[in-house]
Amino acid sequence: MSTGNEERILEVRDLKVHFPVAKGILFKRHIGDIKAVDGISFHAHRGETVGLVGESGCGKSTTGLAILRMLPVTAGEIIFEGENIANYTKTEMRSVRRRMQMIYQDPFGSLNPRMSIATIVGEPLVVHDMAGSRAEFDERIAELLEIVGLDPAMRGRYPHEFSGGQRQRIGIARALAVNPDFIVCDEPVSALDVSIQAQVINILEELQERLGLTYLFIAHDLAVVRHISDRIVVMYLGKIVESASRLDLYHEPKHPYTKALLAAVPIPNPRAEAAREHIFLEGEVPSPLNPPSGCHFHPRCPYVTDRCRTEEPEIKQAANGHSVACHLFD
Amino acid sequence: MPAILQVKNLKTHFFTDAGVVKAVDGVSFDVQAGETLAIVGESGSGKSITALSILGLIPSPPGEIIDGEVIFDGRDLLELSDEEVREVRGNQIAMIFQEPMTSLNPVLTIGEQVAEPIEVHKNLPRDAAMARCVELLAKVQISDGENRARDYPHQFSGGMRQRVMIAMALSCSPKLIISDEPTTALDVTVQAQVLELLKELTQEQGAAQILITHDLGVVARYADHVNVMYAGRIVESGTAISIYDDPRHPYTIGLMASIPNLDDDVKEKLIPIEGQPPNLAKLPPGCPFRPRCRHAIDRCAVERPELETVADEHKKACWIDVNGQ
């Protein structure tokens, strides 16, 4: 799906999203920050899919929300179609939001149960003054439902009448209503049954081809991310540890965390599984309130050295846009 | 190898206002000593209800086991009194549930909970049970067991809680461990740790395992035998190798084609299974997979196929001869 287009529709530079933590009831003291996203930089070319993977607490969803400015940005730049929107006011964001939309994880919680499908899908049109006449509005709703594979006759129905997969299609139709260029997909298939996931993934791929969309695809399922993405960014505790093309990341993973993450994902083929090297990490992802010193991954890393405990590795560019943050590759 | 568990024609139905939900509708399978049998299926396929039926944990009403036998150790568990079942459950058959958050009691310490089955089933005094508990925690790689046993579940992370569940399950050296989606709530690196630990410890004790999951990757890595369930029945069963090399039921073939593989280099289009899983209260006559099946013939609409042998140990319930290749 890569178009070979080198135009950067999105460029994130040194993005930080910190959440202050306060203690005490009457006199709240600021005791620290959760550095959910702590200085990450990456970009997306127009028409491509950038996958963002990592385990819970790595900051992948926070990144998605911050790019859409649905969370306050602590520092850094978010350059979207040439404008730095990191400090835009609410009014300034309105026109940008038409061009960047979001598809959520939970197909049950993200649709208002009291609104009909037509109202849900049409709401962005109303908000952005794109509704036009009644007839135009109706026509647009029918068109949107059709492109996500739903029967436009269902427009008057309510969310509870739909299955998980169909609701996710409604969420996609809503995101597409205002003709966005860029969509953040936050775990769009992880709540769906296995046989339904492929339906939704295929719709996302078809729409991308047809409409030239750019996706930031956030998920914890590496097999799904690798399937849909052109490039993949791996996060761990608020930092990017590695980013590479989908081929390089799988065949030449550099960071020990990426290797372990890949090894942890079982392949649905018993013969391939038996032949694979299995790497098991110790422990779990530490609390982002009190991340380990030096390289955040050092307590779980099989190749840890003294330097890793004290000095944080910088992210370094290698060939083919493959970059890694690890002292082993200095 | 002798079968340690034989399930014969198990039927568990739920009598609801919306009609009779045939959650499990005629399921038969054996579990051999020391093997891992995976039960795969989507939500509503009946895989968890099968497990709960074996353990006598079906809430009644609305649920009822209306037919079948569950032979364990020469006895039909469904014929036993509640008291007799309690002696087997947690002792010879242990269960690990999906949600380590809700399956541990938040107001009891980890030690009390791990020691409980030992006290109940092995009649050990408190201190001896506690000492065994510390040993078990060490086995599941929780260090500093003596102190950690005094902690409460909220002080443990998700992966640690699932280790505690494993420690509880192993506490009475069961012959069979049933794990229902044991790692679905966990991150992948933690999932790998927990499943590996479960495999090692069951092998060490010579226990058999029923692993219930929707993840075909987990099945490929850990299972010896596989039952694929759809709408309350087994639609295909066989050794893991035969199921993956040569799937014969259109549903199994469809599932395999619809999931992305981590090792796929070429971005091939996924082939989804069209439609939705069926409503179990309103199952169509004939084969329940027919509305989603590419190969359906007239007969599928009227007659429900039974499980038939296609090769050694490999069975499928389908009227037509489809080949995965």
Side-chain angles (χ1 to χ4, degrees), chain A residues 109-148:
Chain A
S110 58
L111 304 177
N112 187 333
R114 291 163 204 271
M115 282 160 72
S116 73
I117 297 315
T119 323
I120 290 173
V121 173
E123 196 177 24
L125 294 171
V126 177
V127 169
H128 290 283
D129 284 328
M130 295 165 72
S133 72
R134 186 76 222 180
E136 281 165 359
F137 180 79
D138 286 347
E139 197 182 312
R140 178 75 179 138
I141 301 292
E143 185 191 0
L144 285 164
L145 291 178
E146 220 158 294
I147 56 177
V148 295

Short mmCIF file of all heavy atoms in Angstrom, two decimals, chain A residues 109-148:
data_model
loop_
_atom_site.label_atom_id
_atom_site.label_comp_id
_atom_site.label_asym_id
_atom_site.label_seq_id
_atom_site.Cartn_x
_atom_site.Cartn_y
_atom_site.Cartn_z
N GLY A 109 -18.56 0.89 23.54
CA GLY A 109 -18.52 2.14 24.30
C GLY A 109 -18.40 3.38 23.44
O GLY A 109 -18.67 4.49 23.90
N SER A 110 -18.02 3.23 22.17
CA SER A 110 -17.72 4.43 21.40
C SER A 110 -18.89 4.93 20.56
O SER A 110 -18.76 5.90 19.83
CB SER A 110 -16.49 4.20 20.52
OG SER A 110 -16.69 3.12 19.67
N LEU A 111 -20.03 4.24 20.64
CA LEU A 111 -21.22 4.73 19.92
C LEU A 111 -22.30 5.05 20.94
O LEU A 111 -22.58 4.23 21.82
CB LEU A 111 -21.74 3.66 18.95
CG LEU A 111 -20.77 3.12 17.90
CD1 LEU A 111 -21.44 2.03 17.08
CD2 LEU A 111 -20.26 4.21 16.99
N ASN A 112 -22.90 6.22 20.83
CA ASN A 112 -23.94 6.61 21.77
C ASN A 112 -25.19 5.74 21.56
O ASN A 112 -25.77 5.75 20.48
CB ASN A 112 -24.27 8.09 21.54
CG ASN A 112 -25.23 8.63 22.58
OD1 ASN A 112 -26.02 7.88 23.15
ND2 ASN A 112 -25.16 9.92 22.82
N PRO A 113 -25.60 5.01 22.60
CA PRO A 113 -26.71 4.06 22.41
C PRO A 113 -28.04 4.74 22.11
O PRO A 113 -28.97 4.09 21.65
CB PRO A 113 -26.78 3.32 23.75
CG PRO A 113 -26.12 4.21 24.74
CD PRO A 113 -25.07 4.97 23.98
N ARG A 114 -28.13 6.05 22.39
CA ARG A 114 -29.40 6.74 22.17
C ARG A 114 -29.49 7.39 20.80
O ARG A 114 -30.45 8.07 20.48
CB ARG A 114 -29.58 7.86 23.20
CG ARG A 114 -29.80 7.32 24.58
CD ARG A 114 -29.55 8.44 25.58
NE ARG A 114 -29.19 7.87 26.85
CZ ARG A 114 -30.08 7.55 27.78
NH1 ARG A 114 -31.35 7.75 27.58
NH2 ARG A 114 -29.70 7.02 28.92
N MET A 115 -28.44 7.27 20.01
CA MET A 115 -28.45 7.92 18.71
C MET A 115 -28.60 6.87 17.61
O MET A 115 -28.01 5.79 17.68
CB MET A 115 -27.15 8.71 18.50
CG MET A 115 -27.18 10.04 19.26
SD MET A 115 -25.54 10.74 19.52
CE MET A 115 -25.10 11.27 17.91
N SER A 116 -29.36 7.22 16.57
CA SER A 116 -29.48 6.30 15.45
C SER A 116 -28.17 6.31 14.67
O SER A 116 -27.36 7.22 14.81
CB SER A 116 -30.64 6.70 14.55
OG SER A 116 -30.28 7.86 13.83
N ILE A 117 -28.01 5.30 13.83
CA ILE A 117 -26.78 5.19 13.06
C ILE A 117 -26.58 6.42 12.18
O ILE A 117 -25.47 6.95 12.08
CB ILE A 117 -26.86 3.91 12.18
CG1 ILE A 117 -26.95 2.69 13.08
CG2 ILE A 117 -25.68 3.80 11.23
CD1 ILE A 117 -25.98 2.70 14.24
N ALA A 118 -27.67 6.91 11.58
CA ALA A 118 -27.55 8.07 10.71
C ALA A 118 -27.06 9.28 11.51
O ALA A 118 -26.21 10.05 11.04
CB ALA A 118 -28.88 8.37 10.05
N THR A 119 -27.57 9.45 12.72
CA THR A 119 -27.15 10.58 13.54
C THR A 119 -25.68 10.45 13.95
O THR A 119 -24.93 11.43 13.96
CB THR A 119 -28.03 10.67 14.81
OG1 THR A 119 -29.36 10.32 14.46
CG2 THR A 119 -27.99 12.05 15.41
N ILE A 120 -25.29 9.22 14.31
CA ILE A 120 -23.90 9.01 14.72
C ILE A 120 -22.95 9.30 13.56
O ILE A 120 -21.99 10.06 13.70
CB ILE A 120 -23.70 7.54 15.19
CG1 ILE A 120 -24.43 7.32 16.52
CG2 ILE A 120 -22.22 7.22 15.33
CD1 ILE A 120 -24.43 5.87 16.98
N VAL A 121 -23.24 8.71 12.42
CA VAL A 121 -22.34 8.87 11.27
C VAL A 121 -22.38 10.32 10.76
O VAL A 121 -21.38 10.86 10.30
CB VAL A 121 -22.72 7.87 10.15
CG1 VAL A 121 -21.93 8.13 8.88
CG2 VAL A 121 -22.50 6.44 10.63
N GLY A 122 -23.55 10.96 10.89
CA GLY A 122 -23.70 12.30 10.36
C GLY A 122 -23.23 13.40 11.30
O GLY A 122 -23.04 14.54 10.87
N GLU A 123 -23.00 13.06 12.58
CA GLU A 123 -22.65 14.11 13.53
C GLU A 123 -21.42 14.92 13.13
O GLU A 123 -21.44 16.15 13.22
CB GLU A 123 -22.48 13.52 14.94
CG GLU A 123 -22.52 14.61 15.99
CD GLU A 123 -22.42 14.06 17.42
OE1 GLU A 123 -21.88 12.96 17.58
OE2 GLU A 123 -22.87 14.76 18.33
N PRO A 124 -20.34 14.26 12.68
CA PRO A 124 -19.18 15.07 12.27
C PRO A 124 -19.53 16.06 11.15
O PRO A 124 -18.98 17.16 11.09
CB PRO A 124 -18.17 14.03 11.77
CG PRO A 124 -18.60 12.74 12.36
CD PRO A 124 -20.07 12.82 12.55
N LEU A 125 -20.46 15.66 10.27
CA LEU A 125 -20.86 16.57 9.18
C LEU A 125 -21.53 17.81 9.75
O LEU A 125 -21.28 18.94 9.30
CB LEU A 125 -21.83 15.86 8.23
CG LEU A 125 -21.27 14.68 7.43
CD1 LEU A 125 -22.38 13.95 6.71
CD2 LEU A 125 -20.22 15.18 6.43
N VAL A 126 -22.37 17.59 10.75
CA VAL A 126 -23.08 18.71 11.38
C VAL A 126 -22.08 19.62 12.10
O VAL A 126 -22.08 20.84 11.95
CB VAL A 126 -24.16 18.19 12.35
CG1 VAL A 126 -24.85 19.34 13.06
CG2 VAL A 126 -25.16 17.31 11.61
N VAL A 127 -21.20 18.96 12.88
CA VAL A 127 -20.22 19.73 13.67
C VAL A 127 -19.34 20.59 12.76
O VAL A 127 -19.02 21.73 13.09
CB VAL A 127 -19.35 18.76 14.50
CG1 VAL A 127 -18.16 19.47 15.11
CG2 VAL A 127 -20.19 18.10 15.59
N HIS A 128 -18.97 20.04 11.62
CA HIS A 128 -18.06 20.79 10.74
C HIS A 128 -18.79 21.55 9.63
O HIS A 128 -18.17 21.90 8.63
CB HIS A 128 -17.02 19.83 10.14
CG HIS A 128 -16.05 19.34 11.16
ND1 HIS A 128 -14.99 20.10 11.62
CD2 HIS A 128 -15.97 18.17 11.84
CE1 HIS A 128 -14.31 19.43 12.52
NE2 HIS A 128 -14.88 18.25 12.68
N ASP A 129 -20.10 21.77 9.82
CA ASP A 129 -20.88 22.52 8.85
C ASP A 129 -20.77 21.97 7.44
O ASP A 129 -20.63 22.72 6.47
CB ASP A 129 -20.43 24.00 8.82
CG ASP A 129 -20.96 24.74 10.03
OD1 ASP A 129 -22.05 24.37 10.49
OD2 ASP A 129 -20.26 25.65 10.51
N MET A 130 -20.79 20.66 7.33
CA MET A 130 -20.67 20.07 6.00
C MET A 130 -21.94 19.33 5.63
O MET A 130 -21.96 18.56 4.66
CB MET A 130 -19.49 19.10 5.96
CG MET A 130 -18.15 19.79 6.17
SD MET A 130 -16.86 18.58 6.56
CE MET A 130 -16.65 17.78 4.98
N ALA A 131 -22.99 19.50 6.45
CA ALA A 131 -24.18 18.69 6.26
C ALA A 131 -24.93 19.05 4.98
O ALA A 131 -25.48 18.19 4.32
CB ALA A 131 -25.10 18.82 7.47
N GLY A 132 -24.97 20.33 4.63
CA GLY A 132 -25.69 20.73 3.43
C GLY A 132 -27.19 20.56 3.62
O GLY A 132 -27.70 20.56 4.75
N SER A 133 -27.88 20.41 2.51
CA SER A 133 -29.34 20.25 2.59
C SER A 133 -29.68 18.87 3.12
O SER A 133 -28.82 17.99 3.19
CB SER A 133 -29.94 20.41 1.20
OG SER A 133 -29.61 19.28 0.42
N ARG A 134 -30.91 18.69 3.51
CA ARG A 134 -31.38 17.41 4.02
C ARG A 134 -31.09 16.27 3.03
O ARG A 134 -30.60 15.20 3.40
CB ARG A 134 -32.89 17.52 4.28
CG ARG A 134 -33.53 16.34 4.94
CD ARG A 134 -33.20 16.31 6.42
NE ARG A 134 -32.91 14.94 6.83
CZ ARG A 134 -32.59 14.58 8.07
NH1 ARG A 134 -32.48 15.50 9.01
NH2 ARG A 134 -32.34 13.34 8.36
N ALA A 135 -31.37 16.55 1.76
CA ALA A 135 -31.18 15.51 0.74
C ALA A 135 -29.70 15.18 0.59
O ALA A 135 -29.32 14.00 0.49
CB ALA A 135 -31.76 15.98 -0.59
N GLU A 136 -28.87 16.20 0.61
CA GLU A 136 -27.43 15.96 0.49
C GLU A 136 -26.90 15.15 1.67
O GLU A 136 -26.10 14.25 1.53
CB GLU A 136 -26.67 17.31 0.45
CG GLU A 136 -26.71 17.99 -0.90
CD GLU A 136 -26.28 19.45 -0.81
OE1 GLU A 136 -25.96 19.93 0.30
OE2 GLU A 136 -26.26 20.10 -1.87
N PHE A 137 -27.39 15.52 2.85
CA PHE A 137 -27.00 14.83 4.08
C PHE A 137 -27.37 13.35 3.99
O PHE A 137 -26.55 12.46 4.22
CB PHE A 137 -27.69 15.51 5.27
CG PHE A 137 -27.38 14.89 6.61
CD1 PHE A 137 -26.18 15.18 7.25
CD2 PHE A 137 -28.29 14.06 7.24
CE1 PHE A 137 -25.89 14.64 8.50
CE2 PHE A 137 -28.00 13.50 8.49
CZ PHE A 137 -26.81 13.80 9.11
N ASP A 138 -28.63 13.10 3.61
CA ASP A 138 -29.10 11.72 3.51
C ASP A 138 -28.29 10.92 2.50
O ASP A 138 -27.95 9.76 2.72
CB ASP A 138 -30.59 11.69 3.10
CG ASP A 138 -31.48 12.09 4.26
OD1 ASP A 138 -30.96 12.13 5.40
OD2 ASP A 138 -32.67 12.36 4.03
N GLU A 139 -27.98 11.59 1.41
CA GLU A 139 -27.23 10.90 0.37
C GLU A 139 -25.83 10.53 0.86
O GLU A 139 -25.32 9.43 0.61
CB GLU A 139 -27.13 11.82 -0.85
CG GLU A 139 -26.76 11.10 -2.12
CD GLU A 139 -26.63 12.09 -3.26
OE1 GLU A 139 -27.55 12.94 -3.42
OE2 GLU A 139 -25.60 12.04 -3.95
N ARG A 140 -25.22 11.48 1.59
CA ARG A 140 -23.88 11.25 2.11
C ARG A 140 -23.88 10.09 3.12
O ARG A 140 -22.98 9.26 3.11
CB ARG A 140 -23.36 12.54 2.76
CG ARG A 140 -22.00 12.44 3.38
CD ARG A 140 -20.89 12.42 2.34
NE ARG A 140 -19.58 12.33 2.99
CZ ARG A 140 -18.58 11.57 2.56
NH1 ARG A 140 -18.73 10.86 1.46
NH2 ARG A 140 -17.44 11.53 3.19
N ILE A 141 -24.89 10.04 3.99
CA ILE A 141 -24.98 8.96 4.97
C ILE A 141 -25.10 7.62 4.24
O ILE A 141 -24.40 6.65 4.59
CB ILE A 141 -26.23 9.13 5.89
CG1 ILE A 141 -26.19 10.47 6.63
CG2 ILE A 141 -26.37 7.97 6.88
CD1 ILE A 141 -25.11 10.59 7.65
N ALA A 142 -25.95 7.56 3.24
CA ALA A 142 -26.14 6.32 2.50
C ALA A 142 -24.82 5.89 1.86
O ALA A 142 -24.43 4.72 1.91
CB ALA A 142 -27.21 6.51 1.43
N GLU A 143 -24.12 6.87 1.30
CA GLU A 143 -22.85 6.58 0.64
C GLU A 143 -21.83 6.04 1.65
O GLU A 143 -21.13 5.05 1.40
CB GLU A 143 -22.34 7.89 0.02
CG GLU A 143 -21.11 7.78 -0.81
CD GLU A 143 -20.54 9.16 -1.16
OE1 GLU A 143 -21.13 10.18 -0.73
OE2 GLU A 143 -19.52 9.21 -1.83
N LEU A 144 -21.77 6.68 2.83
CA LEU A 144 -20.82 6.26 3.85
C LEU A 144 -21.12 4.85 4.34
O LEU A 144 -20.21 4.03 4.52
CB LEU A 144 -20.85 7.24 5.04
CG LEU A 144 -20.18 8.58 4.79
CD1 LEU A 144 -20.60 9.59 5.85
CD2 LEU A 144 -18.67 8.43 4.78
N LEU A 145 -22.39 4.56 4.58
CA LEU A 145 -22.74 3.22 5.06
C LEU A 145 -22.38 2.19 4.00
O LEU A 145 -21.88 1.11 4.30
CB LEU A 145 -24.22 3.14 5.43
CG LEU A 145 -24.61 3.95 6.67
CD1 LEU A 145 -26.11 3.85 6.92
CD2 LEU A 145 -23.84 3.48 7.90
N GLU A 146 -22.61 2.56 2.76
CA GLU A 146 -22.30 1.63 1.69
C GLU A 146 -20.81 1.33 1.59
O GLU A 146 -20.42 0.18 1.41
CB GLU A 146 -22.81 2.19 0.37
CG GLU A 146 -23.43 1.13 -0.50
CD GLU A 146 -24.38 1.77 -1.50
OE1 GLU A 146 -25.41 2.33 -1.09
OE2 GLU A 146 -24.04 1.74 -2.68
N ILE A 147 -19.97 2.35 1.72
CA ILE A 147 -18.54 2.06 1.54
C ILE A 147 -17.97 1.22 2.67
O ILE A 147 -16.97 0.55 2.49
CB ILE A 147 -17.64 3.30 1.29
CG1 ILE A 147 -17.76 4.34 2.38
CG2 ILE A 147 -17.88 3.92 -0.07
CD1 ILE A 147 -16.81 5.51 2.14
N VAL A 148 -18.62 1.18 3.82
CA VAL A 148 -18.12 0.27 4.86
C VAL A 148 -18.90 -1.05 4.86
O VAL A 148 -18.77 -1.85 5.78
CB VAL A 148 -18.16 0.91 6.27
CG1 VAL A 148 -17.22 2.08 6.35
CG2 VAL A 148 -19.57 1.30 6.67
#
